[in-house]
Amino acid sequence: MTAYPETLMNALRAEPGLKLSDRATKAPAWWPSDAPQDKREAAERMKELGTLLSDLQERLFASALQEDSKDSVLLILQGMDTSGKGGVVRHVMGMLDPQGVQHFAFKTPSAQERAHDFLWRVEKQLPAAGLIGVFDRSHYEDVLIHRVQKLSTEQQVEARYPKIVDFEARLVAQKIHPLKVMLHISRDEQYARLSERLERPDKFWKYAVSDVEDRALWEQYQLAYEIAIERTNTADAPWYVIPADQKWRARLCVAELLLATLQEINPQWPAAKFDVAAEKLRLEATR
Amino acid sequence: MTAYPETLMNALRAEPGLKLSDRATKAPAWWPSDAPQDKREAAERMKELGTLLSDLQERLFASALQEDSKDSVLLILQGMDTSGKGGVVRHVMGMLDPQGVQHFAFKTPSAQERAHDFLWRVEKQLPAAGLIGVFDRSHYEDVLIHRVQKLSTEQQVEARYPKIVDFEARLVAQKIHPLKVMLHISRDEQYARLSERLERPDKFWKYAVSDVEDRALWEQYQLAYEIAIERTNTADAPWYVIPADQKWRARLCVAELLLATLQEINPQWPAAKFDVAAEKLRLEATR
């Protein structure tokens, strides 16, 4: 058994009064000495995590067949452009059975979605019992880009934080376990990643001219994140701030958080809903 | 380059007047000599296939950003209980980025679904451009279980075959490439797999008492499959019958078919929708 995951989780947890500038985007000083220290060591641990997660996911899926056990998980991924949200989906969620994963990427809302409350479209994408949902962006966009780009009034934005807290409390009450993750990259790392997208024709499609515009508002976005995290960082739905300049480290952190979440749920194989001995006889008769 | 995939695809293709009893469920006589011959060799090839599929999938996803290129793929999985549909999703689709896969398992229709035409709920689950959709069961249930269990009248069932042909022709016209797969197992193999589900507490949840009831109607189901395949086996939406008694062989076949489908589409990285040189300057200014 490795001892570091608990240390890791505690360190990743967003503290009251969080200042993102105080948070390392790579090689944090507190990084546990018994955790993987480089890409190669992380790859070893990721293999173990793949096996552990896969087993727990199948149990979670199966456990939902019981009337009294209806847990699901909701991984909420937030972060600046290029922070690696897609890579987490590909490399962490990609280790799981697609039958048990429900992925949704929130884009610019449609006219129909804008005609509803901001949580309306989120509600529709909640994972059913037994599933692990993944949101690439989420209802947090309505207090992040909306705050920075002034897509809503300050009053409207202010009103959303308590709505989010209530919404997430309801999720917890209905056993949808939220795992809220901010992939925290440095401004320099974003520059390097955007540059790469402009160098490689197979990366052009990942680049949007709005990326540079958002980048010019870096400080405002960091502040919007700090406020959002502070105002919605509850005991039941806490935020985790992940050092994300190194992809291997960010993916490892998310995989460990997901494992801890599933271990906490501790899903069990459901009991047979039929008489096993009788079914064996029935089956034998059809041999 | 391996030469066998083409031979394999041709051999898997359902021929007019298909008799399932003439089709091997394992180690077919025609199995290409340059194809993997056992589990170990198949595992090697699956690694290659994972890389090839992953690259093509990302290209497919990216290519959908172009106005003139809107392809997607729809893998339709059918087969008797325990034939390995879930395993194909887990082990073949599981090799792909979850962002590009849209999985849906059709269950007993809801009251709302039953109040609509049988294709209504299917339409809603079609993959968007750039995605690989996977149907675990499908509209074919409406001519399989409905025929055997007489859930619809013979007249109703009869009317559905041409509707399915028209529906799938429309999919092809809108560049949703169907890949229709029947996982063909033997009655003995089903017995073994159902027995295992009754032996292992971690498999109980996969067992349903209706499985034995359906098993008692084995011959009727085989006939229903033959009729469904015969009546809907068009040039644009052909059926493939996969020997599925050995899981490694079935998964390899489906992965090869999927690869061939993606290679046929041959998706390309989209051109930049912006002035690359100008964007480099804009980005540089934010360094």
Side-chain angles (χ1 to χ4, degrees), chain A residues 57-265:
Chain A
Q57 180 205 22
E58 193 174 359
R59 282 171 186 266
L60 181 72
F61 190 86
S63 72
L65 299 174
Q66 301 196 118
E67 278 316 310
D68 60 343
S69 167
K70 294 283 185 192
D71 297 275
S72 56
V73 173
L74 177 58
L75 172 63
I76 296 175
L77 292 172
Q78 286 289 160
M80 299 292 287
D81 293 321
T82 77
S83 61
K85 299 182 289 294
V88 164
V89 177
R90 184 174 192 121
H91 297 280
V92 179
M93 307 317 290
M95 297 194 295
L96 303 176
D97 186 339
Q99 294 173 96
V101 174
Q102 184 177 314
H103 167 266
F104 194 80
F106 287 91
K107 310 284 184 193
T108 309
S110 67
Q112 190 196 24
E113 288 168 347
R114 280 197 306 275
H116 287 273
D117 180 68
F118 75 110
L119 292 171
W120 181 76
R121 65 175 187 157
V122 179
E123 188 85 30
K124 291 203 290 182
Q125 303 302 335
L126 291 176
L131 296 185
I132 301 181
V134 194
F135 284 178
D136 179 342
R137 304 185 186 273
S138 65
H139 44 291
Y140 283 98
E141 291 301 315
D142 297 90
V143 293
L144 293 168
I145 187 171
H146 277 250
R147 182 175 199 100
V148 174
Q149 303 273 16
K150 305 195 197 314
L151 303 179
S152 302
T153 66
E154 206 182 314
Q155 223 172 7
Q156 286 171 321
V157 170
E158 283 301 316
R160 283 178 191 151
Y161 301 109
K163 280 187 185 174
I164 290 174
V165 169
D166 289 351
F167 173 67
E168 293 178 354
R170 182 159 61 79
L171 298 193
V172 172
Q174 64 195 65
K175 294 204 187 181
I176 299 178
H177 304 261
L179 178 53
K180 305 192 291 189
V181 158
M182 188 233 174
L183 298 175
H184 182 34
I185 55 165
S186 65
R187 210 172 161 277
D188 286 351
E189 181 62 22
Q190 191 193 50
Y191 173 83
R193 293 183 187 181
L194 286 174
S195 293
E196 193 192 15
R197 291 184 180 179
L198 287 173
E199 289 303 330
R200 290 174 48 177
D202 63 334
K203 298 271 189 187
F204 286 167
W205 68 278
K206 292 190 173 187
Y207 183 89
V209 294
S210 62
D211 293 350
V212 173
E213 286 145 27
D214 279 342
R215 179 171 165 75
L217 300 166
W218 185 272
E219 293 305 329
Q220 289 94 310
Y221 270 107
Q222 298 291 298
L223 180 61
Y225 267 105
E226 286 171 356
I227 298 168
I229 290 172
E230 180 77 13
R231 305 273 304 264
T232 62
N233 194 24
T234 61
D236 281 342
W239 271 101
Y240 295 92
V241 178
I242 311 287
D245 276 3
Q246 293 156 298
K247 291 174 181 173
W248 67 264
R249 199 186 297 272
R251 292 168 190 171
L252 176 74
C253 287
V254 178
E256 294 285 4
L257 288 173
L258 186 59
L259 179 64
T261 305
L262 286 164
Q263 284 174 333
E264 176 75 22
I265 297 172

Side-chain angles (χ1 to χ4, degrees), chain B residues 203-267:
Chain B
K203 298 273 189 186
F204 286 168
W205 67 279
K206 293 189 172 184
Y207 182 89
V209 293
S210 61
D211 293 351
V212 173
E213 286 145 26
D214 279 343
R215 179 171 165 76
L217 299 165
W218 185 272
E219 293 306 328
Q220 289 94 311
Y221 270 106
Q222 299 290 298
L223 180 62
Y225 267 105
E226 285 171 356
I227 297 169
I229 291 172
E230 179 78 12
R231 305 271 307 263
T232 63
N233 194 23
T234 61
D236 282 341
W239 272 100
Y240 295 92
V241 178
I242 312 287
D245 276 2
Q246 293 155 299
K247 291 174 181 174
W248 68 264
R249 198 187 298 271
R251 293 167 190 171
L252 177 75
C253 286
V254 178
E256 294 285 4
L257 287 173
L258 186 59
L259 178 66
T261 304
L262 286 164
Q263 284 174 334
E264 176 76 23
I265 296 172
N266 191 23

Side-chain angles (χ1 to χ4, degrees), chain A residues 187 191 207 215 279 284 286, chain B residues 191 207 215 279 284 286:
Chain A
R187 210 172 161 277
Y191 173 83
Y207 183 89
R215 179 171 165 75
E279 286 305 312
E284 195 58 36
T286 70
Chain B
Y191 173 82
Y207 182 89
R215 179 171 165 76
E279 286 304 312
E284 194 60 35
T286 69

